[in-house]
Structure formats: C-alpha cells, structure tokens
Amino acid sequence: MEENFEELFNQSIKDVNIGKTVTGNIIRITKNKEIYVDLGYKADGIIPFGEYSYEEDKDPNDEFKLGDKITADVLKMNDGMGNVLLSYKRAKTRNAWKSFEQKVKNKEVFKEEVSEVNKNGLIVLIDGIRVFIPMSLSCINKNEDIQSYIGKKVEFIVIEYNKQNKKIIGSIKEIKDQEKKKKSDKFWNEIEIEKEYEGTVSSISNYGAFIDLEGVVQGLLHISELSWNKNAKPQEILKENQKIKVRIKEFDKENKKVKLATDLKGEDPWNVVKDKYKISDVVKVKISRFMPFGAFAEIEKGIEGLIHISQISVERITKPEEKLKIGQELNAKIIDMDLQNKKISLSISELEGTSYDLEYQEELKDLN
C-alpha cells in the first residue's frame, strides 16, 4: 500500500523548532548581506546581517560562498515573510565559548586584534566574547598613543574568568614576563667567564656604564674597563643605546649580578714603560688630580705618576694646590718606578735650580 505523500514529505523534512541548532546550504547572499539557507525544510532560513556577526564591518562574502554549509540557531519559525529566522552569531558564539573555555583552562596564548581602547585599557573581541586588558597589564609605554593599538594584534592570556558576571581579564604582561623568565633562565644556565655578548648601553654614570644583555640583565662595565686613563669619563667614551661587544668578567647567579669587560681601552700602556722610561729621566707631565698627600700627573695617556707633597717644592707646603694647578704642564724627574704595581714616583723639587726648573718657572708665568 502506497504511503500518503504528505506523510512522506513530513518524514523527509528536518525537525526545525525555536531554539534548535540547524545546518543547511547557503543558496543566496544579498546585497544587504542577508544569507538565505536551504534547511531541507518547507521554508528557507534567513540570517539577517544583524544576526551574522557581532562585528559591524564583517562581510559574509569574505567567509562564505554559495553552496557552503552554515550552522545557525532558530529564532523564529516565521520572520513575517515566510522564512525561518536564524542567528549565525549566536551559534558561533556558543561554540566559541566552548573553545574559549578550553583554551583558558589550558592557559593557552590568544592572539587577537584590539577592537576598542579607552583610558583604562584595551578591549578584544573573540567571536563576540569581550576580553578586557587593563593598562597595568598591557605593557603600553606612557609615551605611546593608545589609539594606535586599534586593529593591532596582541598576544595575551586570560588571568581572570567569570562567565556569569561576564568579567574576563587578559594580560599581555604575563606573556612578556613568561618570555623574559625563559630568556633569563637560558642566560644564567649558559653564562660563563669570558663568554662574549653584543650588548646595548642602557645608562651611564661617573663610574661606568650598565649594559643590557639580551633584555635579561644589566651588566656593569666599570670605567676601569673602558680606559687606562684614571680621569676618563664614561660619557666621553660611550653613548646610551650604543651597541658594544663585551665579555663576562665576573658573575653572581644568586644575586643576578654581572661584571663585564671589553677591548675598547686597547693595550695596557704600562707594557712599554720599562723600555721607554728609567729612574732620573726628566719628563714633561700634566697635573691631573690632587690628593691630600700630593698630586697625580699624567706622563702620557694612561700613565700617571705621583708627586708626593714633599716632592712638589723645597718650601714647606700643606697642600699641593699652593704650588700647582689642574691641567698645568711642567717638568718632573722620575725618582722611583714599581712596574709590578704600576707606580711611578715623581719629583719637582729635585729640579729646582736646574735648567728644567727655569723652564718650569716660565710656564708658571704663562699660567699666571
């Protein structure tokens, strides 16, 4: 006995009811970006543009073409024009929540575009799921224009998640901190004396410079590693942000401290002293600094000698400034040399009354 045609038809059509999730084939996308769907039902489904995406500028033509399958939720059995009213964005968001929750649980890294910004931070939408990244967790520099982040992709992890209150907090800082820790662990595991790095001068002080090594540690490059001249100023040798090759001189893993060395200062000038100078030589010197016990004078770049206060003049003086000036050039006699400890003793008083002393007196007149 042949089955009734109406019964066969009713058996063939899908069960389409409000709240159901259905899948069909796209049969048309209109100029107004409405999507018509063949549901295998007595009426076609329609997804208005407002039910396509939470993002206003999203175009269905960029995601679908005719014949593609699409899954949506049934909102109404009749939209007033005889079509089943569907929502693609609700079905997509529901599935997105499942995926999102799993990623949050696994502490996965998200990489998404910033959709909005305000004075408090960044807002990111993940298939309609709103994630807020506070300024304190954004790693945005105070000098940066926060508006420039709109449309920019950022990496973050979710550190606070409350679906009921729709409170989802993301952190870019957490990613940066994790990356820095990995780099730091690698750096300290591989560090060794004399290992070379290319660093960046991050700051300069009177006693040296701090060098950024791989964004992990600030190593100290003391002025003594930059010049043999004890009066040298780091600011005259290096500039901030300058790239410089350095090597590890000392390190303390426990306190995360590093001392550095470099080849900038060149060969030790004291290496030529024993062949170039001897006791009793008279040399031209330049007064470089005063101490309570005397004055230091530069013999040549990187080599200084001490003129003890008793060797400055045959007259009794209480401080070197009574007879000398910084930058003053004059003759002095080498009276002692200790090459092992890099010390040279000089005397001016032993030249008094000699032709060298007369030359010194002429220089004093010029200075005065």
Side-chain angles (χ1 to χ4, degrees):
M1 182 177 176
E2 290 186 4
E3 291 187 70
N4 183 284
F5 175 78
E6 186 176 351
E7 288 178 359
L8 288 172
F9 176 75
N10 289 333
Q11 289 173 14
S12 68
I13 63 175
K14 289 183 179 178
D15 180 16
V16 176
N17 288 298
I18 293 174
K20 285 270 188 179
T21 301
V22 293
T23 300
N25 295 319
I26 295 174
I27 54 177
R28 185 156 64 103
I29 301 176
T30 70
K31 291 180 180 179
N32 294 328
K33 300 177 184 178
E34 296 174 325
I35 304 173
Y36 282 84
V37 184
D38 179 3
L39 299 174
Y41 182 61
K42 56 187 176 183
D44 291 333
I46 182 172
I47 303 172
F49 180 64
E51 290 297 331
Y52 167 66
S53 175
Y54 287 98
E55 299 175 56
E56 294 181 1
D57 60 347
K58 202 82 171 175
D59 188 339
N61 290 289
D62 295 334
E63 187 177 359
F64 296 106
K65 62 182 184 297
L66 297 185
D68 282 353
K69 287 189 178 298
I70 189 168
T71 298
D73 286 355
V74 178
L75 299 182
K76 288 182 181 180
M77 295 305 295
N78 190 329
D79 67 340
M81 299 294 290
N83 299 305
V84 178
L85 184 63
L86 304 174
S87 175
Y88 171 66
K89 69 182 183 183
R90 293 193 190 184
K92 186 176 181 181
T93 300
R94 187 176 59 258
N95 291 329
W97 272 107
K98 290 180 183 178
S99 173
F100 178 78
E101 287 172 343
Q102 190 61 44
K103 287 181 178 180
V104 171
K105 185 178 179 181
N106 295 336
K107 296 183 178 179
E108 290 186 32
V109 176
F110 293 89
K111 187 174 184 178
E112 302 292 337
E113 281 188 8
V114 175
S115 57
E116 300 174 47
V117 299
N118 58 47
K119 64 179 182 179
N120 297 316
L122 312 175
I123 296 161
V124 177
L125 289 179
I126 306 174
D127 293 324
I129 302 169
R130 184 185 176 93
V131 180
F132 177 61
I133 303 173
M135 283 295 287
S136 60
L137 301 176
S138 69
C139 292
I140 297 176
N141 191 293
K142 290 181 180 179
N143 299 320
E144 286 186 88
D145 178 13
I146 191 171
Q147 295 294 328
S148 67
Y149 275 78
I150 295 178
K152 184 177 179 180
K153 283 197 172 184
V154 293
E155 288 188 335
F156 61 93
I157 63 170
V158 173
I159 59 171
E160 189 175 338
Y161 173 58
N162 189 318
K163 187 176 180 180
Q164 280 187 329
N165 297 332
K166 295 184 178 178
K167 185 179 181 182
I168 306 172
I169 304 296
S171 174
I172 297 171
K173 183 177 180 296
E174 190 82 11
I175 299 294
K176 301 290 185 185
D177 289 347
Q178 288 177 9
E179 290 175 354
K180 188 171 182 178
K181 187 180 184 306
K182 284 181 183 177
K183 288 174 70 175
S184 178
D185 290 345
K186 184 175 185 292
F187 176 88
W188 290 108
N189 286 334
E190 296 177 356
I191 193 171
E192 56 185 36
I193 300 297
E194 292 297 316
K195 185 170 183 178
E196 293 186 342
Y197 294 88
E198 181 177 66
T200 304
V201 179
S202 57
S203 63
I204 302 174
S205 68
N206 290 330
Y207 56 84
F210 283 95
I211 312 298
D212 185 294
L213 301 178
E214 301 186 351
V216 170
V217 68
Q218 300 287 310
L220 174 62
L221 185 60
H222 193 267
I223 181 60
S224 61
E225 297 294 334
L226 290 170
S227 175
W228 294 104
N229 182 0
K230 293 181 180 179
N231 300 307
K233 296 179 180 179
Q235 295 88 342
E236 296 173 352
I237 303 171
L238 298 174
K239 293 181 180 178
E240 286 191 12
N241 299 318
Q242 178 181 338
K243 298 289 184 184
I244 179 173
K245 287 185 178 180
V246 292
R247 61 183 181 277
I248 305 297
K249 184 179 180 182
E250 297 177 33
F251 64 87
D252 179 351
K253 283 189 177 183
E254 186 177 348
N255 296 303
K256 300 291 188 286
K257 290 184 178 180
V258 175
K259 288 184 180 179
L260 303 170
T262 182
D263 294 327
L264 277 182
K265 66 180 182 179
E267 186 182 356
D268 187 348
W270 282 86
N271 291 340
V272 301
V273 168
K274 68 175 181 178
D275 297 323
K276 192 171 182 180
Y277 301 104
K278 63 183 183 297
I279 293 174
S280 296
D281 280 355
V282 176
V283 291
K284 178 84 78 174
V285 300
K286 184 177 182 179
I287 304 300
S288 54
R289 53 198 171 106
F290 293 137
M291 302 295 285
F293 51 81
F296 281 96
E298 185 181 65
I299 299 171
E300 61 179 72
K301 190 173 181 180
I303 301 175
E304 281 187 330
L306 171 65
I307 310 170
H308 192 269
I309 195 165
S310 62
Q311 296 294 329
I312 292 176
S313 174
V314 292
E315 299 175 18
R316 182 177 176 81
I317 59 174
T318 58
K319 53 184 180 179
E321 293 93 323
E322 291 177 23
K323 288 288 185 178
L324 302 173
K325 295 181 180 180
I326 298 294
Q328 179 182 347
E329 293 185 352
L330 47 85
N331 295 313
K333 183 180 178 181
I334 298 175
I335 58 174
D336 193 23
M337 296 174 68
D338 180 358
L339 298 182
Q340 186 174 352
N341 294 303
K342 297 183 178 180
K343 292 181 179 179
I344 294 179
S345 296
L346 301 169
S347 175
I348 300 171
S349 61
E350 288 197 17
L351 297 180
E352 289 189 356
T354 69
S355 59
Y356 294 109
D357 176 45
L358 295 176
E359 186 181 339
Y360 164 44
Q361 298 299 330
E362 290 298 318
E363 290 169 352
L364 277 182
K365 287 179 185 177
D366 292 340
L367 285 170
N368 295 323

